[in-house]
Amino acid sequence: MIFSYSWLQELVSSKLPVPSELADVLNAHAFEVEEVEKRGGEWLLNLSVLPNRAGECTNHLGMAREIAAILKSGLKMPPLLPMRTQKGSLAPLEVSVRDLELVPRYAAFVVEGVEGKDSPAWMKKRLELVGVNSINALVDISNYVMLEMGQPLHVFDYDEIRGGIMRLKKVQEGEEIATLEGGIHRLPAGTLVIEDAERLIDLAGIKGGAVSGVSQGTRNVVFQAATFEKFFMYASRKRIGLETPAAVLYGYGIDPNLADEALARTASLLRELGVGGKIVQNIDIYPKKIRPRKIALELERVNSLLGKKVPEGEAMGILKRLGFSCTKKGPGRFAVEVPTRRQDVQLPEDLIEEIGRISGYENIFPQLPTEYLIPPEPNERLLLEEDSRDVLREAGFTETYGYSFIGEKDLSLFAYTSEEAEGLAEVENPISSEYRYLRDSLLPNQLRALAQNVAHGRQGVRFFEAGTSFARMGEKFSERRLLAGVLQGDAFFEAKGVVDFLLERLGSEEAWYDTSNQAPSFGPQGLWDNDRSAEIKIAGRRIGFVGSLSAQIAARLKIPRAAMFELDTEMLGEIANTETEYHEPSKFPSVLRDIAVFVPHDVKVADVLNVMEPAGGELVADIDLFDLYDAEELGEGRKSMAFHITFQSQERTLKGSEVDQAESAMREALKANPEWEVR
Amino acid sequence: MAPDVSGLKKRAEEELKGVGNLKDLDEVFRKYLGRKGELTLVLRSLVQLPVEQRSLVSKEANAARDELRQLTEELRKALEGSVRQGGLDVTAPGVRIVRGHLHPLTRLQREVNGIFSGMGFSVVEGPEIEDEWHNFDALNIPANHPSRDMWDTFWMKEKLTKNRHLLRTHTSPVQIRYMEHHEPPLRVIVPGRVFRYEATDARHGFNFYQLEGLMVGKQVSVANFKGVIMEFYKRLFRSEVKVRLRPSYFPFTEPSFEVDMSCLLCGQKGCGSCGQSGWLEMMGAGMVHPKVFEAVGYNPKFLQGFAFGMGLDRLAMMRYKINDARLLYSGSLKFLEQF
Ligand SMILES: [Zn+2]
């Protein structure tokens, strides 16, 4: 809110520091200063008053009270005119409130015989500087009092209130009202309004009705200083979508006891501005008077929470300057009475904040905790993820962070089936359709990043991301931590090699690549090339997927080819073993033999290994594929595989005859398959 | 008189070290180890020595011969190598090593986690899709309260009308989740991704990273918060920093502060980065509100604690002088490969 420096000065009894210094003082002890500027010869301060204090501090008197308390000065009240009704000729208004819990207080007075005129120049200028347009003296007075004291006022044309009746009530579904700013609002059921004998005349606490507004010709008026319940007003304003200053103030909550001074100030301004007229009726419906709350405060708690000894006199002085009254109840114990305007102060901690900020946080000296230090627990999940990041970086991958969202267009771009789209978690209020869903896989955004860099002419791009994916199952949402990578080019075996490298480095068992099930655990299946992808399984559990990008999607993204993998890091954590153990290499020499075999095209390396390994027995230390040859000249539908086989024992030097025997057992086992030819 | 083997060896070594080509090397070799070389002659003359000296000098001379031979051999290899490389253009670029890069946010989080771990804080995490109770109500932010407007929220599309789901607007709900299952005293930090329903610009994104901190005990005070956070900044920025607390408001802390750090760019003289104020806004913080302790079943009478939340994206921008927050999520190699 914008505050006028000269207006504040009027309300503080001592001379204020210059504006920039005043700003520093407020910054350190009360509110954030957004801007200090000079306009039209006047200094203005834009102060950010947060919701806890906005009900009583977004007005000049409230801010002056803060300033006076900080500067150890006093508050100078503006002129108030004690209210005295006089005899008049107007018929008394009959006001009734149906929902007293929504209207804690309804105070108003009726003025007979006002003279329509403009406000004086000083008031116009002051209003305009803080951002309020001048309309006429009557409306300006109501705005002025709100800006000065924080009480929203509304002024009605008495002669437009039909039947001499004002009824505060909640509307039924479908009722409409035309308000002062010219809009017509269809009101949700339960909205609080004021009606006269015939129609709705006011959208209570939010905006006046067009029919009952004042103009230059208005002769008799009603000034209303009502209090409405804050939660109700907040919800109501949100439902209707009208953010008027009064509605906002009511939503923060104002003090019902403020009405008296606000109306006395109004009366004084009516006289000062020469609007004329006399108060002929006083209305005050205030069945349950709000009284100050009492809080027991112990000085020891103040010192303990702040970590600083505040002298008793200083603490009590601060509270008194802010308008609290304190009674000593024993050594270091006080009963503190909270002024009713301070609805935010409910607990001793709230008082401690007042003492702390006014005495100055800069006077609290930093102190490292002396409490017993318990060594922190390691976060195993995070440690594993960090290890994975290091491994992938070693493997030449660059880490990306993608947005958590994917958009409507992505569903077709990345070939989501309608069933898959159904399983996406959706945001009710997306920023735009581009960010409507939460990602169920990290790959779409990774591929997009890959495509962008490829478009810039980059070669050999390798990206990875460790992030959260989301899914929806019926009415339940779930999330998983995933680790995904993309590799530019026809790089299936690199991708697979990276997965193996990662698993090895994380101390996992070797993975088994299963092609029997082509459904990835996360993200759309259409992302993958069915003939070049496999499930990654460890100990029977599906931990992820590795494969090539579908040619169709590659074409859409304008990436020639790409390979990718995606793993569930939570599952990885359960099977990883980060303990490193040294295995002594064998002291005895190893013997190397080669075996090559022709097999039909559809036979996989794993099939051949599955035959060789058991046949070779314990002497086989390692089998290593060193050549895979798949060409026309081998004859139709055949390919060649060649393996290095290492024989070695931990206990002794192997005899040539032993190795010969094991090797021929392997060859025999391979020959047992009539379609395989051992060379 | 016994020959001075060690002096001879020393001279030979000196001369060998001064050799710059193969020709000179051969010359030095011949001088000492050739058929008529000085050391060869010593070895030959051993028989003329008295018996009591002979074995000692023999040992010394043989060792010297072996060492000098080895040294000569090494030098020969080195010199031959340099001859072969004579035609190489050494100014041509070296082979580019393909390396990967960690994201700046990862690097920063590691550093931050490390500093807090050193001060006894455990790193804990929580879900990114939260329920309304943990994200708001338990943190003393009731529905129909203007304080909710402080967090622009993405709501999940679902049929629930009570305790609806949302994308967490801060990491603070993890305070609640942690305290629900742990007893004080405790020290935790919570790094993680959070979401705000607002348009992205150079300073804000709709998803970003926050780091929450929480310390609860019997005596934890504002002074302790100041101490811990100053120590943190000191270690992160590796220089002396000043910290300033300004009054603020968060429903889940009382008192609440904005935390400013002295601007290290201008040494508090005032610059563009700190808006000429000499201070940089770093985070929100405060002492845990008694209602929060109540919400997790603690007795607020016997407990005190501080909580803080800082934006890691902003911290990364400061730490690495990044001028646009969107770069962090851009996937642009030009950006990422600088880390
Ligand atoms: Zn600066």
Side-chain angles (χ1 to χ4, degrees):
Chain A
M1 174 182 167
I2 295 172
F3 290 84
S4 146
Y5 179 80
S6 66
W7 199 341
L8 290 171
Q9 177 65 82
E10 263 176 34
L11 301 168
V12 176
S13 56
S14 61
K15 186 163 165 30
L16 290 181
V18 297
S20 64
E21 277 172 36
L22 180 64
D24 288 344
V25 165
L26 284 167
N27 236 335
H29 300 281
F31 304 107
E32 185 162 324
V33 180
E34 312 228 302
E35 205 180 7
V36 181
E37 64 162 338
K38 197 171 191 176
R39 230 190 306 142
E42 287 268 355
W43 282 100
L44 301 172
L45 285 84
N46 191 353
L47 303 176
S48 160
V49 180
L50 295 169
N52 61 327
R53 302 291 310 275
E56 38 94 33
C57 258
T58 48
N59 63 78
H60 284 75
L61 192 64
M63 193 55 70
R65 190 179 284 113
E66 281 292 312
I67 294 169
I70 300 166
L71 299 176
K72 299 186 180 171
S73 174
L75 192 66
K76 208 163 79 191
M77 284 300 284
L80 306 175
L81 192 66
M83 232 169 327
R84 225 166 275 129
T85 53
Q86 300 172 44
K87 221 177 141 39
S89 57
L90 298 179
L93 275 180
E94 201 181 294
V95 180
S96 65
V97 176
R98 203 168 295 169
D99 303 287
L100 286 168
E101 73 283 1
L102 302 184
V103 191
R105 184 172 189 182
Y106 191 88
F109 60 57
V110 180
V111 189
E112 182 179 330
V114 295
E115 190 187 320
K117 63 192 295 185
D118 280 346
S119 309
W122 67 265
M123 184 181 265
K124 276 187 183 167
K125 184 177 178 194
R126 199 163 256 190
L127 288 173
E128 273 156 17
L129 277 174
V130 299
V132 176
N133 290 332
S134 167
I135 307 218
N136 58 46
L138 292 168
V139 175
D140 289 358
I141 286 173
S142 69
N143 283 328
Y144 190 88
V145 173
M146 179 172 76
L147 291 166
E148 188 170 64
M149 306 181 90
Q151 169 70 57
L153 292 175
H154 184 60
V155 45
F156 295 89
D157 187 333
Y158 170 91
D159 299 303
E160 288 299 333
I161 301 170
R162 297 189 182 160
I165 290 174
M166 288 174 88
R167 241 182 264 138
L168 282 89
K169 61 147 213 178
K170 289 193 212 167
V171 293
Q172 308 288 319
E173 186 68 53
E175 292 187 57
E176 285 181 352
I177 188 169
T179 50
L180 278 170
E181 92 289 354
I184 291 179
H185 300 271
R186 197 181 173 79
L187 301 177
T191 306
L192 193 69
V193 295
I194 305 178
E195 63 177 11
D196 64 13
E198 295 168 18
R199 57 204 178 154
L200 302 189
I201 58 168
D202 187 64
L203 191 43
I206 298 179
K207 192 84 196 171
V211 292
S212 60
V214 296
S215 60
Q216 290 288 24
T218 300
R219 287 294 155 260
N220 306 308
V221 292
V222 182
F223 272 96
Q224 163 198 294
T227 313
F228 300 108
E229 202 280 324
K230 62 178 174 182
F231 293 113
F232 177 80
M233 290 308 293
Y234 176 76
S236 192
R237 145 165 87 88
K238 291 270 153 181
R239 273 207 311 271
I240 300 166
L242 255 183
E243 306 262 321
T244 63
V248 171
L249 250 182
Y250 278 129
Y252 288 129
I254 64 152
D255 178 15
N257 297 324
L258 182 59
D260 304 300
E261 283 178 353
L263 287 175
R265 179 66 177 141
T266 306
S268 158
L269 285 168
L270 283 169
R271 174 180 288 184
E272 190 181 334
L273 266 54
V275 176
K278 55 184 178 182
I279 296 172
V280 295
Q281 185 188 357
N282 221 336
I283 300 152
D284 193 4
I285 304 171
Y286 190 20
K288 252 202 264 168
K289 188 167 165 58
I290 304 298
R291 299 194 185 279
R293 174 185 296 122
K294 280 202 174 91
I295 298 174
L297 182 67
E298 289 178 19
L299 204 57
E300 206 185 299
R301 180 78 172 172
V302 178
N303 296 335
S304 160
L305 197 68
L306 295 178
K308 171 203 173 187
K309 278 216 159 38
V310 185
E312 185 178 311
E314 186 188 349
M316 296 310 121
I318 288 167
L319 292 177
K320 277 177 194 154
R321 292 203 300 280
L322 287 166
F324 297 79
S325 59
C326 312
T327 318
K328 190 157 180 164
K329 291 286 182 185
R333 287 171 43 232
F334 300 86
V336 179
E337 201 177 271
V338 183
T340 53
R341 65 176 171 272
R342 291 301 302 269
Q343 294 176 8
D344 62 309
V345 177
Q346 304 191 356
L347 297 170
E349 286 72 16
D350 298 317
L351 294 171
I352 296 171
E353 175 165 60
E354 299 301 296
I355 296 167
R357 69 184 177 91
I358 301 286
S359 73
Y361 292 133
E362 72 273 19
N363 298 320
I364 296 176
F365 294 103
Q367 214 172 33
L368 283 172
T370 51
E371 298 219 352
Y372 170 63
L373 183 70
I374 302 161
E377 289 168 40
N379 182 328
E380 299 290 351
R381 193 208 70 73
L382 191 64
L383 289 174
L384 179 100
E385 197 169 280
E386 294 302 333
D387 283 347
S388 314
R389 287 178 154 128
D390 285 335
V391 172
L392 289 172
R393 183 182 55 169
E394 282 173 37
F397 281 70
T398 294
E399 187 181 19
T400 62
Y401 277 40
Y403 288 124
S404 297
F405 303 88
I406 56 171
E408 275 167 20
K409 284 190 189 140
D410 295 333
L411 299 190
S412 50
L413 178 59
F414 295 106
Y416 277 81
T417 63
S418 56
E419 205 178 310
E420 284 163 348
E422 190 64 22
L424 291 171
E426 187 178 346
V427 176
E428 188 173 81
N429 54 334
I431 285 279
S432 75
S433 64
E434 227 182 308
Y435 308 108
R436 176 174 293 283
Y437 304 99
L438 291 172
R439 57 181 178 182
D440 63 338
S441 157
L442 313 184
L443 289 170
N445 286 338
Q446 287 248 288
L447 288 166
R448 210 191 319 262
L450 175 66
Q452 273 161 19
N453 287 285
V454 168
H456 287 124
R458 303 300 295 240
Q459 295 290 328
V461 180
R462 294 177 165 204
F463 279 147
F464 82 94
E465 178 173 5
T468 307
S469 73
F470 306 85
R472 184 173 69 91
M473 280 271 275
E475 284 299 294
K476 285 218 161 69
F477 299 107
S478 63
E479 46 193 271
R480 294 203 81 79
R481 287 298 289 187
L482 301 180
L483 183 67
V486 295
L487 300 84
Q488 182 180 358
D490 186 10
F492 173 85
F493 288 104
E494 276 100 325
K496 191 181 164 193
V498 166
V499 172
D500 286 335
F501 176 56
L502 178 72
L503 293 175
E504 185 200 323
R505 289 290 311 276
L506 298 180
S508 154
E509 283 176 51
E510 267 184 51
W512 175 49
Y513 294 87
D514 187 354
T515 51
S516 60
N517 180 1
Q518 288 297 349
S521 313
F522 352 87
Q525 182 172 355
L527 218 52
W528 305 85
D529 178 342
N530 266 340
D531 296 330
R532 293 160 170 265
S533 54
E535 207 170 45
I536 306 163
K537 274 189 173 166
I538 296 173
R541 302 180 65 182
R542 311 168 52 179
I543 66 148
F545 222 68
V546 59
S548 298
L549 177 64
S550 115
Q552 205 179 8
I553 294 174
R556 284 180 199 155
L557 291 169
K558 301 191 173 64
I559 323 173
R561 297 293 281 276
M564 53 205 189
F565 61 87
E566 190 155 41
L567 306 169
D568 182 324
T569 47
E570 286 164 48
M571 251 188 233
L572 211 52
E574 289 160 28
I575 51 181
N577 175 12
T578 45
E579 295 293 313
T580 303
E581 237 176 63
Y582 171 68
H583 295 282
E584 195 181 357
S586 174
K587 294 190 197 77
F588 304 97
S590 62
V591 179
L592 197 69
R593 297 282 165 88
D594 288 354
I595 296 181
V597 57
F598 289 123
V599 292
H601 193 80
D602 59 347
V603 173
K604 298 189 171 71
V605 174
D607 300 334
V608 178
L609 286 173
N610 285 342
V611 172
M612 282 203 289
E613 265 171 13
E618 285 178 0
L619 300 184
V620 177
D622 190 26
I623 303 180
D624 196 11
L625 177 78
F626 71 91
D627 189 37
L628 181 62
Y629 191 57
D630 194 354
E632 300 280 312
E633 61 264 32
L634 291 175
E636 70 273 18
R638 292 217 303 173
K639 59 184 175 186
S640 152
M641 297 177 192
F643 302 90
H644 290 311
I645 295 138
T646 311
F647 298 90
Q648 195 173 32
S649 160
Q650 285 286 343
E651 286 126 27
R652 60 202 160 82
T653 302
L654 294 179
K655 284 187 226 128
S657 57
E658 284 178 289
V659 175
D660 291 346
Q661 208 176 357
E663 186 193 340
S664 75
M666 292 168 86
R667 289 179 179 273
E668 290 309 313
L670 290 169
K671 281 179 198 160
N673 195 320
E675 292 182 333
W676 297 8
E677 185 193 327
V678 181
R679 284 190 292 164
Chain B
M1 203 188 93
D4 177 13
V5 176
S6 71
L8 191 108
K9 184 179 162 225
K10 218 176 193 170
R11 264 192 292 130
E13 279 172 348
E14 289 297 317
E15 284 182 46
L16 282 172
K17 271 178 205 157
V19 156
N21 55 52
L22 286 169
K23 191 170 155 272
D24 293 351
L25 184 69
D26 281 340
E27 220 156 86
V28 179
F29 181 82
R30 266 202 300 278
K31 183 174 170 196
Y32 292 96
L33 297 169
R35 258 173 358 106
K36 289 183 180 164
E38 290 183 39
L39 190 59
T40 316
L41 291 177
V42 169
L43 283 160
R44 280 196 200 140
S45 66
L46 284 175
V47 281
Q48 296 162 13
L49 285 175
V51 182
E52 59 271 26
Q53 280 184 14
R54 199 185 293 166
S55 82
L56 199 73
V57 178
S58 157
K59 221 178 195 175
E60 202 186 358
N62 276 306
R65 181 191 57 194
D66 291 348
E67 277 181 50
L68 289 175
R69 273 189 183 160
Q70 198 186 334
L71 185 60
T72 313
E73 222 22 62
E74 280 168 14
L75 284 169
R76 187 184 306 282
K77 275 187 192 146
L79 290 170
E80 278 169 357
S82 73
V83 167
R84 233 176 281 129
Q85 279 171 9
L88 196 70
D89 176 7
V90 295
T91 64
V95 175
R96 203 177 137 259
I97 303 301
V98 177
R99 58 167 282 220
H101 306 269
L102 289 180
H103 195 277
L105 283 168
T106 296
R107 287 177 46 157
L108 179 74
Q109 284 181 67
R110 285 183 176 187
E111 212 175 333
V112 168
N113 292 357
I115 296 171
F116 279 109
S117 297
M119 292 194 278
F121 287 75
S122 300
V123 183
V124 302
E125 296 165 292
E128 293 176 27
I129 295 183
E130 249 313 346
D131 58 54
E132 197 174 1
W133 190 82
H134 282 94
N135 195 77
F136 289 130
D137 300 274
L139 290 162
N140 194 29
I141 314 167
N144 275 353
H145 195 282
S147 57
R148 276 227 181 159
D149 294 351
M150 292 165 76
W151 293 271
D152 293 316
T153 310
F154 282 114
W155 293 93
M156 296 306 298
K157 191 165 184 175
E158 62 184 340
K159 293 203 184 83
L160 279 183
T161 49
K162 260 194 195 141
N163 202 18
R164 292 183 297 158
H165 288 91
L166 47 82
L167 293 175
R168 64 175 176 192
T169 56
H170 42 195
T171 38
S172 311
V174 189
Q175 281 185 30
I176 303 295
R177 290 187 177 276
Y178 190 80
M179 288 192 282
E180 281 173 330
H181 297 108
H182 294 81
E183 288 301 316
L186 50 92
R187 304 180 186 196
V188 294
I189 54 165
V190 188
R193 187 175 277 208
V194 300
F195 303 83
R196 295 281 167 87
Y197 177 76
E198 57 192 19
T200 47
D201 59 32
R203 295 192 51 181
H204 310 89
F206 48 68
N207 64 212
F208 56 97
Y209 281 80
Q210 221 177 35
L211 183 99
E212 186 88 4
L214 174 70
M215 176 171 179
V216 177
K218 284 198 179 99
Q219 297 287 326
V220 180
S221 66
V222 177
N224 291 153
F225 169 69
K226 261 188 149 176
V228 165
I229 222 63
M230 239 165 102
E231 191 62 27
F232 166 68
Y233 286 134
K234 215 155 83 183
R235 293 196 201 180
L236 185 69
F237 292 102
R238 297 183 185 92
S239 60
E240 287 299 319
V241 294
K242 276 186 260 173
V243 161
R244 161 176 101 164
L245 306 185
R246 286 182 289 114
S248 188
Y249 166 66
F250 304 104
F252 38 97
T253 49
E254 189 71 39
S256 303
F257 334 105
E258 289 295 332
V259 182
D260 295 346
M261 185 186 81
S262 49
C263 180
L264 299 172
L265 294 170
C266 62
Q268 290 207 289
K269 288 184 187 77
C271 69
S273 292
C274 59
Q276 306 306 327
S277 72
W279 294 98
L280 293 164
E281 274 185 47
M282 300 301 288
M283 63 164 104
M287 304 306 292
V288 181
H289 199 290
K291 285 190 179 161
V292 172
F293 283 145
E294 276 168 19
V296 298
Y298 285 3
N299 185 343
K301 261 199 181 140
F302 307 113
L303 289 172
Q304 296 177 181
F306 64 71
F308 60 84
M310 64 177 110
L312 289 176
D313 299 49
R314 199 173 126 62
L315 202 59
M317 289 169 76
M318 279 179 59
R319 186 93 172 77
Y320 306 116
K321 300 196 166 65
I322 299 165
N323 58 4
D324 191 328
R326 288 168 294 199
L327 283 170
L328 294 168
Y329 303 91
S330 67
S332 157
L333 268 171
K334 279 186 202 145
F335 171 75
L336 296 168
E337 64 196 3
Q338 295 187 30
F339 296 92

